[in-house]
Amino acid sequence: MPNFKLDDREIPFEPGETIIRAAQKAGIDIPHYCWHAGLSVAANCRMCLVELMPPPGRPAMLLDVLAWDKIKQEYLPQKKPKLVPSCQQAAADGMVVKSQTSEHVDVARASVQELLLLNHPVDCPICDQAGECRLQDYWLEHQGTKKRMRDEPVHKPKAVVFGPTIVYDAERCIVCTRCVRVSDELAKDPVLSVRERGNLNEIVVAPGRQLDHPYTLMTEYVCPVGALTSIDFRFKARVWFLRSRRTVCVGCATGCNSFSDFDPRDQKVYRYRPRENLAVNKFWMCDDGMLDYRRIHEGRVLEARVAGRPATVAAALATAAQLLVAAGPASTAVVLSAEHSNEDNFALLSLAKSLGFSDIYQSGRPAGQGDDILRHPDKNPNSAGVAALGKASGLKSFVELVEAIRAGKASTVIALGSATPTGSGAAALAEVRSLIAIATHEGAVVDRASVVLPASSWAEADGTFVNAKGMSQESERAIHPHGSSQPAFRLISELAALLGKPLGWKKLTELRAAMAPAAPRSVAPDSASLGAE
Amino acid sequence: MIKQTTYLSHSYGKPNSWTLSAYESAGGYRGVRKALALTREGVIEEAKKAHVRGRGGAGFDCGTKWSFMPKESKKPHYLVVNADEGEPGTFKDRSIMEMNPHSLIEGCIIGCYGIGAHACYIYVRDELHLSKARLWGAIREAKAKGYLGNNPFGKDYPVELYVHSGAGAYICGEETALLNSLEGRRGEPRLKPPFPAQYGAFGCPSTVNNVETLAIMASAFDMGCDEFSKLSELHPFNDGGARLFGVSGHVNRPGIYEAAVGLTLRELIYDLGGGVLQGRSILGVIPGGSSCPVHLPDELPTLPPDPRYDAYRGKSILDIPLGVDTFRSAGSMLGTCCAMVLSDAVDPVLALHNVMRFYRHESCGQCTPCREGCGWIERILNKVVEGKATIDELDRVHEIASNITGNTICAFGDGAAQPALAFIKRYRKHFEDYIVNGGKSQTRRLTV
C-alpha cells in the first residue's frame, strides 16, 4: 500500500483516497466542518487546510501577505505558502503533508475558527448542540482567544421550521452545506439549498416544499453546529449526561447500526444516532428508525397480567405453566417473533422442544414501505434469524396459525412478540382458549391474552438480530429493564424451570453457546469506537 | 511605447458599426476563412503563435488553453464566452459587444473549430442589455449569410452561437461559477480539478474565453498569428499582439484605447487619457480592475534577475510596460488592463471603503475566509469612515486580508484581499488620521 507522511506519521492510503479520509482511517482527525466521509467534497469551510511540501528541488508556491511591525510602525511584506484543503487533495505516494506541525496551518485554522464565530450568537447554554459542537471543540483546540469583533453581529432568521422534524437557526449556521448534500445525495430529494450570498447566506427549503423526505434527521445528524436541531430531541437533554451503547435499529430488516444515547440517572433513552458500518447502513439511518427509540418508553407492557388483571410475574408464570400442562402438545401452538432477538426465540424454541410441542409458527409486525436507500419493507429486525432457528422445526407462517386456530387445532397459544402481521390474525387469536403472551408492548396480542408476561425491550437486553442480508449483529443493553419486565429469554427459562424442564443455561453467554450450532454467528464488521461520527 | 492600433476599435463611434456589412467592408470575416482552411490542430498551433494572453484578467495563453481540450471524446465540446464583465473599472468587453459584435462572432467560430465544439454560449452580464441585443442581431445576420449554421463559409463544420443572460452576480465572471450559472445552478465556483477542459459546461469538455480574447483572435488569424504577436513590445515575454486599454477615474479623457502591448501606465494616463483632472498629481493607480493592488506613482518595483527585465530596472511602476508577466514580476497584477486613477484631491480611505463594500456584497459566501472576512473588513472600514474605529481595529485589516488570500476555492478571495493589503500598506497614515480625528480632517471626497 502506498504511504504519505502526515506530520511525523506514515499514513497508508488506497489510491484515489483523500488525505483527510486516509488520516481518519489511521485514527487522526484533521479538523473539519464541511467534509463528511459519506458525502461529496465541498471544501468550503477551509478548516482542514494543510501544508503540502513541494517535491524536492521544487520551490513552494508563495503568496504575498503583510505583517505589522508595532515598533517600527510599518508593514512588513511576508510570504506564506499556498495551503490546500485535505478533503479535496488526493494523497500521493511519498507526499509530505504538515498539519499540526505547520505554523501556517495553525494561523489559517485559528483564522477560520475566529471567522466562523464572528457572527455566531454564541448562545451555547440554550443550544442543543452544546457538548457535541465543533465550534466549541475547535475553539478550544485551534483558537482560544477572546472575541475581537465587538459590534452587533449579522442577524438572520431563527427557529425556522423546515418541516415536521427539523428547526433551523440561520445565525448558528456556518453554511457548510452538509444538510444540502444529505438531501441531494442520500435522500435523492434536493429540497434544501443556499440563498443570498456572502455573510447573508442561509439554508432554505425549496418554495412550496417542506423538509419531509424519509431522511430529514440525517440533516440534523450531519450538522456540525447547532443550526439544525431535531424537534424531537431539542430541549430534552444535555448530551454530556448521556451515555452511548452500540445497538442495532429494530425498525426494519436492514438492521442499521446505531448508538442508543441514554441518561443513566433516569434510565431513559433520548435518541438514536447512526453508527458507521459500511456493509449495512454506511453512515446513515432513516427517520422512522431514528425515532423508533420512542417505542422503548411508549406503549410498553411493564407488569404481568392474569385474565386481564395485574399480577406478579411469579403468579403469571405459575398460571402459564398450569395452562401449558393442561393443554398438552397436540393442541398447543408456539409462536416465535421476528420482532425479538435470536436469544429470545431460541429460548422459546428450546422450551417447545423440551415439552414436545411441534407446531411452531412465526409472527411479527406487518410489512410497510421500503426504498432502495435503507428502508426495508419488512419491518421486523430478525425475520432471517427466526427463519434460520426454526428451519429444523418446520417453522410455519402466521397464516397457517390462523388456519389452525380456525380449524380448532390450536386451542392454546404461547406467543412471543407484541404485533401480528395482519388484523385478521389478531382477531383469530381471540378465539383461542388460552393465550400466553410474552410481549414488550400493548397491542392485539396482549389485549387477547390470558396471561401476559412483560418482556424487556431491545434497549433493556442484549440481543442478536439477523438482518435481511443475513448478517448477524449484536445489540448491547443500554438501560435496566423497566417495571417488572425481564428479558424474554429469562422469563421463558423460569417458565421451563417451573415446568420441571430446565433449559440448561443460566447466563447469556451460556445461552449463546447453546444457540451457536443453530444460529452460526456472522457478525458484520462495525466501527469499534463509541462516539465516532 | 505607444503604438495605437484599430483591430477592434476601428468601428467605434461610427454609425451602424455593429452591422455585418460595416464589419465586412472593414475587412471582417477574413481571419475565420483562413482558420477554417487549416486543420483543427493547425488552428491551435497557429493560435499559440499569437501569444494572446487571456484578456479577462488571469492572462493565460489562449492557444495553450485551446490545446488542453481532448483530441477525441464521446461528449460534445463547448466554447463558452465569458462576457460577464463586472470587474469595477472595466468596460472594454462591453465596447466590443456593442460596437463590434461581429469580431466576437468571428472569434467564436475560430474558437469552436479549434477546440472541436459545435455550440458556443456567450454568457453576458445581466445589465448589458444593448450588448445582448447587438449580439443576437449579429448572430441573426451571420446565420442569414450562412456564416453560422451547418456550413459556415462552405465548411462542413456546424457552429451555433447562443447568448445567455446572467443574473447579476460578479462571481459569475469566475469561469466555473459561470458554468454553474449557465447550467441553471447557483453561481458558485467549482472545485478544481477537474478543470473545464475535462469537465466543463454540462459535464462536457469546455473552454471558457474572454470576449476580447476571442475577438482579437479574428484579427490575429487574418494578419498571421506570428506577425500579430510581434506587434507587441513584450513579444519576448510571450505576451503578444494588441489589446484594449481602459483608463478611468480622475483623468481628462477616460475611455478605451487600443494599442499594441507594451504601453505603459504613464502613457495610458497622460498621453491617451489626457492627464489627471485639474492638472493634479496621481495619488494612486490601480492597473487593471479593482482586484489589483493600488500603486503609488513613484513606486520602484523589484524585478527578477532575468535579463529581459534589464530595460525596466530602476523605473517607476508607471514606466513598466503593461504586460501579464511584467506586472506579476513587479509585484502587481495586470488584470483586465483597465486602469483606475485616483487624483491627490481624493481620499484613499473612501476608495478602499468603496472597493470593500463591493467585495462584501459580491462574495458568494461559499468559503469561510472570504464570506466572513470581507464582511469584517467592510465593517471595520465603515467604522473608520464614521470616525468610530480604533487603531486596534485598523491593525486587524491586514491580518484578516492575509488570512483570506490563498485560503479560498477561487481567486475572488485574493481579489478581495489584495486591494485591502495594498491600500492599507500604502496609505496607513490616512487611515490613522481618520481614527485620530474622528473622521473629520479629511478631504472626504472620492470625486473631483
Side-chain angles (χ1 to χ4, degrees):
Chain A
M1 216 182 212
N3 279 276
F4 67 92
K5 198 167 178 188
L6 179 62
D7 296 327
D8 44 11
R9 272 188 61 179
E10 289 290 335
I11 311 283
F13 67 94
E14 313 269 356
E17 217 162 43
T18 56
I19 293 173
I20 201 170
R21 180 64 173 157
Q24 190 190 48
K25 283 179 164 179
I28 299 172
D29 188 45
I30 297 178
H32 60 277
Y33 288 96
C34 70
W35 180 76
H36 189 285
L39 298 171
S40 63
V41 173
N44 62 31
C45 75
R46 316 309 280 181
M47 194 65 187
C48 72
L49 290 172
V50 291
E51 186 177 351
L52 216 57
M53 295 291 123
R58 295 261 294 278
M61 185 182 167
L62 294 172
L63 303 167
D64 292 310
V65 292
L66 289 181
W68 174 247
D69 187 327
K70 270 210 155 119
I71 296 152
K72 287 190 191 158
Q73 287 286 298
E74 65 181 30
Y75 285 106
L76 305 173
Q78 304 232 302
K79 298 273 185 193
K80 70 163 190 178
K82 168 96 178 144
L83 306 177
V84 298
S86 58
C87 66
Q88 187 194 353
Q89 179 66 50
D93 201 16
M95 195 180 244
V96 180
V97 183
K98 283 186 173 183
S99 174
Q100 292 175 330
T101 50
S102 160
E103 52 172 329
H104 301 291
V105 168
D106 276 352
V107 170
R109 286 183 188 161
S111 167
V112 166
Q113 185 55 35
E114 176 171 35
L115 291 168
L116 286 175
L117 285 172
L118 197 70
N119 288 302
H120 188 280
V122 200
D123 55 348
C124 305
I126 55 159
C127 178
D128 278 284
Q129 193 78 10
E132 52 183 5
C133 177
R134 302 235 164 164
L135 287 171
Q136 292 181 325
D137 299 348
Y138 290 159
W139 175 84
L140 189 67
E141 212 172 321
H142 299 286
Q143 186 189 354
T145 56
K146 282 200 274 188
K147 188 161 184 169
R148 297 193 294 174
M149 204 274 294
R150 312 299 300 179
D151 310 310
E152 190 70 12
V154 175
H155 288 296
K156 293 186 196 177
K158 294 183 82 72
V160 183
V161 177
F162 269 10
T165 54
I166 300 290
V167 173
Y168 173 65
D169 184 324
E171 291 189 347
R172 291 180 188 158
C173 180
I174 60 165
V175 208
C176 68
T177 70
R178 274 182 170 191
C179 55
V180 177
R181 285 175 282 146
V182 158
S183 290
D184 289 1
E185 297 163 20
L186 170 69
K188 311 269 190 290
D189 180 13
V191 65
L192 296 181
S193 58
V194 183
R195 77 175 276 278
E196 259 293 349
R197 55 192 184 195
N199 62 5
L200 301 176
N201 268 358
E202 59 177 292
I203 305 293
V204 286
V205 185
R209 276 291 310 273
Q210 281 197 311
L211 178 62
D212 56 4
H213 55 65
Y215 296 87
T216 59
L217 288 170
M218 288 302 97
T219 63
E220 185 275 335
Y221 166 64
V222 295
C223 182
V225 299
L228 295 174
T229 46
S230 148
I231 289 174
D232 179 69
F233 182 70
R234 69 198 311 241
F235 311 135
K236 298 263 168 63
R238 300 268 55 165
V239 296
W240 49 86
F241 290 127
L242 301 182
R243 300 290 174 268
S244 297
R245 289 292 179 274
R246 286 183 284 173
T247 51
V248 172
C249 177
V250 298
C252 78
T254 303
C256 292
N257 293 205
S258 59
F259 287 115
S260 289
D261 291 350
F262 65 101
D263 190 328
R265 297 170 306 175
D266 63 3
Q267 290 293 313
K268 215 176 147 194
V269 176
Y270 280 89
R271 66 174 179 187
Y272 284 164
R273 278 180 299 130
R275 181 160 56 95
E276 182 180 326
N277 186 336
L278 294 177
V280 182
N281 53 310
K282 297 191 175 75
F283 310 90
W284 317 114
M285 281 173 69
C286 72
D287 285 359
D288 293 344
M290 287 287 283
L291 294 175
D292 198 42
Y293 83 89
R294 293 192 290 206
R295 286 204 296 135
I296 296 166
H297 301 292
E298 287 171 8
R300 284 292 303 281
V301 173
L302 296 176
E303 300 301 329
R305 269 173 241 170
V306 173
R309 295 214 183 86
T312 62
V313 172
L317 283 169
T319 312
Q322 284 165 13
L323 291 173
L324 289 176
V325 169
S331 61
T332 303
V334 177
V335 183
L336 304 182
S337 172
E339 290 180 89
H340 278 256
S341 66
N342 269 359
E343 286 78 356
D344 293 351
N345 282 292
F346 176 72
L348 184 56
L349 203 53
S350 305
L351 175 73
K353 272 189 192 155
S354 65
L355 294 176
F357 297 166
S358 57
D359 290 329
I360 315 290
Y361 299 92
Q362 176 179 357
S363 176
R365 297 164 75 196
Q369 218 182 354
D371 60 29
D372 54 6
I373 303 169
L374 285 179
R375 298 185 305 156
H376 200 284
D378 177 1
K379 296 302 171 194
N380 295 291
N382 200 25
S383 298
V386 170
L389 285 170
K391 203 173 173 190
S393 318
L395 186 68
K396 287 180 265 191
S397 73
F398 196 80
V399 177
E400 290 169 282
L401 173 67
V402 173
E403 284 166 5
I405 293 170
R406 295 257 153 88
K409 286 183 195 159
S411 56
T412 297
V413 174
I414 176 164
L416 185 61
S418 314
T420 55
T422 58
S424 62
L429 285 177
E431 295 170 23
V432 302
R433 198 184 316 139
S434 336
L435 171 60
I436 301 162
I438 308 162
T440 53
H441 287 79
E442 301 284 356
V445 178
V446 167
D447 287 350
R448 292 159 175 81
S450 337
V451 178
V452 177
L453 294 167
S456 298
S457 73
W458 55 93
E460 300 150 48
D462 293 299
T464 309
F465 299 90
V466 184
N467 72 2
K469 284 183 180 169
M471 293 159 133
S472 173
Q473 309 189 91
E474 279 175 23
S475 182
E476 293 175 352
R477 180 178 70 79
I479 52 176
H480 299 310
H482 278 204
S484 303
S485 74
Q486 291 178 37
F489 63 81
R490 218 162 273 296
L491 292 168
I492 294 162
S493 163
E494 284 172 35
L495 185 58
L498 277 179
L499 290 163
K501 306 268 184 189
L503 296 178
W505 40 259
K506 283 214 169 71
K507 291 183 194 157
L508 180 72
T509 47
E510 292 165 356
L511 182 161
R512 283 184 172 164
M515 181 171 75
R521 289 174 61 196
S522 62
V523 180
D526 64 0
S527 63
S529 60
L530 283 178
E533 187 185 17
Chain B
M1 184 204 312
I2 300 186
K3 195 156 78 182
Q4 281 195 269
T5 59
T6 57
Y7 298 103
L8 290 172
S9 59
H10 57 81
S11 59
Y12 285 18
K14 289 184 186 154
N16 297 319
S17 66
W18 52 88
T19 59
L20 195 144
S21 57
Y23 185 63
E24 287 209 295
S25 63
Y29 288 115
R30 285 197 310 237
V32 64
R33 286 184 167 89
K34 292 176 185 170
L36 291 177
L38 303 170
T39 60
R40 186 185 149 193
E41 293 71 33
V43 166
I44 290 176
E45 284 316 306
E46 181 71 6
K48 282 182 181 169
K49 288 182 200 158
H51 300 302
V52 168
R53 307 290 289 261
R55 307 296 201 223
F60 196 81
D61 184 76
C62 176
T64 310
K65 195 187 240 186
W66 288 358
S67 73
F68 291 156
M69 290 292 278
K71 301 278 167 287
E72 298 274 329
S73 71
K74 289 190 178 121
K75 291 178 174 176
H77 293 189
Y78 293 111
L79 177 66
V80 180
V81 183
N82 187 343
D84 192 59
E85 185 175 53
E87 183 74 16
T90 304
F91 42 90
K92 61 182 183 62
D93 294 341
R94 175 183 185 172
S95 70
I96 296 172
M97 293 185 283
E98 288 180 0
M99 294 185 282
N100 194 2
H102 281 283
S103 65
L104 176 58
I105 309 291
E106 187 178 355
C108 287
I109 303 169
I110 299 173
C112 278
Y113 185 60
I115 65 165
H118 294 285
C120 164
Y121 296 99
I122 308 174
Y123 185 102
V124 185
R125 175 181 167 173
D126 175 55
E127 292 88 336
L128 304 185
H129 302 295
L130 183 59
S131 296
K132 283 180 268 184
R134 293 263 162 92
L135 283 173
W136 274 125
I139 290 169
R140 272 194 297 274
E141 279 185 299
K143 263 192 107 133
K145 204 94 191 259
Y147 293 176
L148 288 172
N150 285 333
N151 299 296
F153 305 98
K155 180 103 180 171
D156 182 20
Y157 190 89
V159 173
E160 292 290 352
L161 265 58
Y162 306 91
V163 176
H164 182 99
S165 180
Y170 171 72
I171 193 62
C172 291
E174 199 278 343
E175 64 174 1
T176 56
L178 186 150
L179 293 173
N180 272 349
S181 174
L182 180 68
E183 292 177 12
R185 297 165 194 270
R186 181 176 162 84
E188 278 181 346
R190 297 175 181 175
L191 302 181
K192 289 184 266 189
F195 291 93
Q198 290 105 46
Y199 193 92
F202 311 102
C204 301
S206 306
T207 297
V208 184
N209 279 138
N210 169 261
V211 170
E212 188 194 339
T213 310
L214 285 166
I216 199 69
M217 271 300 181
S219 303
F221 270 83
D222 182 29
M223 191 174 176
C225 287
D226 192 42
E227 197 185 333
F228 176 75
S229 175
K230 285 175 184 156
L231 290 170
S232 159
E233 186 187 325
L234 299 181
H235 178 71
F237 290 87
N238 292 335
D239 192 344
R243 66 186 297 163
L244 298 179
F245 294 83
V247 58
S248 65
H250 309 135
V251 291
N252 287 310
R253 289 195 303 271
I256 295 290
Y257 298 94
E258 189 184 328
V261 176
L263 194 74
T264 65
L265 272 173
R266 192 180 301 282
E267 288 158 349
L268 179 62
I269 296 166
Y270 288 98
D271 300 333
L272 300 175
V276 181
L277 284 176
Q278 301 166 344
R280 301 191 72 110
S281 18
I282 297 174
L283 173 80
V285 53
I286 304 171
S290 64
S291 300
C292 303
V294 65
H295 293 288
L296 302 174
D298 53 358
E299 217 168 291
L300 295 176
T302 321
L303 294 168
D306 187 331
R308 289 179 302 172
Y309 290 99
D310 288 348
Y312 315 123
R313 272 180 228 291
K315 285 188 176 178
S316 139
I317 188 90
L318 295 190
D319 296 310
I320 292 176
L322 284 158
V324 176
D325 296 329
T326 48
F327 263 60
R328 192 175 290 155
S329 303
S332 182
M333 204 165 97
L334 183 64
T336 58
C337 209
C338 285
M340 281 188 280
V341 180
L342 293 172
S343 124
D344 65 358
V346 301
D347 188 340
V349 177
L350 293 179
L352 180 62
H353 182 227
N354 197 25
V355 168
M356 289 316 297
R357 275 168 63 205
F358 175 80
Y359 285 107
R360 201 279 295 155
H361 185 256
E362 295 295 340
S363 166
C364 79
Q366 199 178 187
C367 307
T368 308
C370 172
R371 174 178 75 232
E372 301 293 344
C374 292
W376 197 3
I377 295 177
E378 189 217 7
R379 203 191 289 249
I380 292 171
L381 293 175
N382 282 344
K383 290 174 83 177
V384 169
V385 170
E386 289 165 14
K388 290 178 185 161
T390 61
I391 294 289
D392 252 11
E393 282 173 304
L394 183 63
D395 286 343
R396 306 271 150 76
V397 175
H398 75 276
E399 191 195 317
I400 303 164
S402 297
N403 279 315
I404 298 175
T405 202
N407 287 356
T408 54
I409 291 173
C410 80
F412 182 103
D414 310 300
Q418 286 309 319
L421 290 172
F423 267 90
I424 199 124
K425 183 177 173 200
R426 289 169 178 83
Y427 306 109
R428 165 107 186 175
K429 197 83 195 64
H430 291 76
F431 287 84
E432 285 179 358
D433 284 351
Y434 254 89
I435 292 166
V436 174
N437 301 316
K440 280 183 191 133
S441 65
Q442 296 301 313
T443 48
R444 289 210 68 116
R445 288 194 299 178
L446 204 44
T447 50
V448 176

